[in-house]
Amino acid sequence: MTDPMVPPTPPVHLQALLAREDLGLRRIAGPDDPGTVIRWAHASEMADPYPYLLGGELLLSAGVHIPEGAGPGYFDAYVSRIVAAGGAALGFGVAPVHEAVPKALVEACEMHGLPLLEVPPRTTFSAVARAVWQLMAQARLAELRRVTEAQQSLAAAAARPDPLRPVLRRLAQRLNGWAALYAPDTTELAASGPPPPPTAHQALTNLTQALRPSDPTTPAAGSPPAIAAGSRAAGAARVGAAAPGKHRQATPTPTSASDTVDGTHLAAYALGTGHGFVLAVATPHRTPGDHTIASVAAALLTLLTGQLRSSTATARSSALVRLLLGTPPPEVAHLLGAERWHMVHARPDGQAPPDPLAAAALGTALGSALVDPAGETVRVLVPADHPVEPLPGWTLGVSTAVAPENWPAADTQAARALARARATRTRLLRHGDRPALADLVPPHDADAHARSLLAPIAATPALTDTLRTWLSLHGSWDRTAVALSVHRNTVRQRIARCAALLDADLDDPDVRMELWFALRRT
């Protein structure tokens, strides 16, 4: 079996061989098709070379096999057998046997659509074969260089904080086509590149279904109509078909499939995660290295989507079910594997809200699968023994380490830390956990004082949030506006309203301290 990570040797375009001035080859019959390629050169003087051809050859002959007085029928049979064997072109050497290419041979090649090259007397067949191998070596080197550059580019994309989309983007660019990641339910999780025509798009979706395990007890539905009968996917769909009345064994699931629809080359690769994710690509052209590049991308995406269902995942599911049924958090926290936790609030640097893929990538970077992409902010519960460090592309607010019963308070801490981090343009900001002066006041008395002091503005959350943020940022109008995503004039109006309702001088540091004490209790 060939290694999918090593591209095969590319064929040589016939035009490149004709462009070699040292050979002096000249096309005298057959189509002038720029897509004609040669895979090797072979010299033969057999009257019927069919049994010795593999396809794609430039067959070289000096006409030794041509009997004296041969007519059009001989040449028609000779050329038709070369075409039937898949020969790419015929090179006829002039001299020493024939002074010119036989006219009947020219007519036969023209009729059967086989390119016919005239090889001048000064050019030996070995020189032609050597030129073919030289051109193939050059193409091989160029293809290896392209594949190597693509591998490096894909690896760099996979190292980004949100790697799935960058990997698909780089893959689409390298293949000059469209790349998509399909979920187990056949929906597109992410895609990049110019989309294929609708017919090819639907055929590619059908192709991905051929890579998903089938139920051996369910009758085979047959190959999707868009998949060609000769494609690997259609062939795989027929494997394991049993006669009526017999038990049908499970059909071996292929790992890749390909097809061509409306001139668009389609390929699908099953990701080895066991969850049914599939990488799909559609390209207008197919080169020998494309499969290698796509295989590298599939291997990387397998790692990025490879959270197999394990005992840890089962424990998380059990904890979630118990919480939904009313069990207090402290009683299910042991199922999650940690006693103390950080709550992390994160916002991406871009304007668009994070999608599920970006949120999952963030959770992976932080070492936790407990991720909640809530609107513009992603919340992640991280075990306290996992250090939270700054991540490129994200702004983070981190709470203190708390026990499960204090998760709601940690959520508030992380939200405030994130607001301050965004306002101060800091990548990561942690909520302080030092003992405070407020800890000296009995909690009941502190809460009662806070409710009484803030009662005039308590019914308007926008006022309390603005006052809290403004005080935490030392009265900065601009930073508060950034943290709250409002205009600075809105901040000024709200603070003025707070001062009026509270009947307090907010420029007085004692007043600010007392208000901050109260706000921390709410």
Side-chain angles (χ1 to χ4, degrees), residues 187-213:
T187 58
E188 292 178 18
L189 287 178
S192 183
T199 304
H201 196 168
Q202 182 59 47
L204 189 56
T205 302
N206 295 340
L207 200 63
T208 64
Q209 297 175 358
L211 304 184
R212 292 185 169 85

Side-chain angles (χ1 to χ4, degrees), residues 43-278:
S44 173
E45 296 299 341
M46 301 288 295
D48 181 12
Y50 180 94
Y52 305 97
L53 299 181
L54 297 175
E57 293 94 347
L58 168 61
L59 181 63
L60 300 170
S61 173
V64 177
H65 59 88
I66 301 175
E68 186 176 353
Y74 176 86
F75 291 104
D76 180 75
Y78 176 69
V79 173
S80 65
R81 293 288 283 173
I82 296 175
V83 172
L90 173 63
F92 193 89
V94 178
V97 181
H98 297 270
E99 295 182 356
V101 181
K103 183 178 180 180
L105 179 59
V106 175
E107 293 174 351
C109 289
E110 194 68 43
M111 181 177 64
H112 288 281
L114 179 68
L116 176 61
L117 311 184
E118 181 186 73
V119 183
R122 63 180 176 83
T123 302
T124 63
F125 287 173
S126 60
V128 176
R130 182 176 58 189
V132 170
W133 294 120
Q134 287 175 347
L135 291 172
M136 292 181 68
Q138 294 172 5
R140 169 75 166 174
L141 180 60
E143 193 69 4
L144 286 173
R145 184 180 295 113
R146 184 177 79 95
V147 170
T148 300
E149 293 174 351
Q151 290 175 337
Q152 294 173 347
S153 176
L154 290 169
R160 298 185 58 178
D162 178 15
L164 291 176
R165 293 185 186 278
V167 168
L168 292 174
R169 188 180 308 115
R170 295 288 177 84
L171 177 61
Q173 292 172 350
R174 293 293 174 173
L175 299 185
N176 192 28
W178 182 78
L181 178 64
Y182 280 74
D185 60 357
T186 73
T187 58
E188 292 178 18
L189 287 178
S192 183
T199 304
H201 196 168
Q202 182 59 47
L204 189 56
T205 302
N206 295 340
L207 200 63
T208 64
Q209 297 175 358
L211 304 184
R212 292 185 169 85
S214 59
D215 185 354
T217 63
T218 304
S223 302
I227 300 179
S231 71
R232 280 178 282 173
R238 293 194 295 269
V239 176
K246 294 183 179 181
H247 177 70
R248 186 167 63 88
Q249 299 295 325
T251 301
T253 304
T255 58
S256 65
S258 63
D259 199 6
T260 301
V261 175
D262 295 337
T264 301
H265 299 281
L266 312 176
Y269 302 84
L271 303 186
T273 60
H275 280 288
F277 291 97
V278 177

Side-chain angles (χ1 to χ4, degrees), residues 378-404:
V378 179
R379 301 188 299 178
V380 186
L381 265 177
V382 180
D385 57 353
H386 289 198
V388 179
E389 303 295 341
L391 295 175
W394 293 91
T395 301
L396 307 179
V398 185
S399 74
T400 57
V402 299

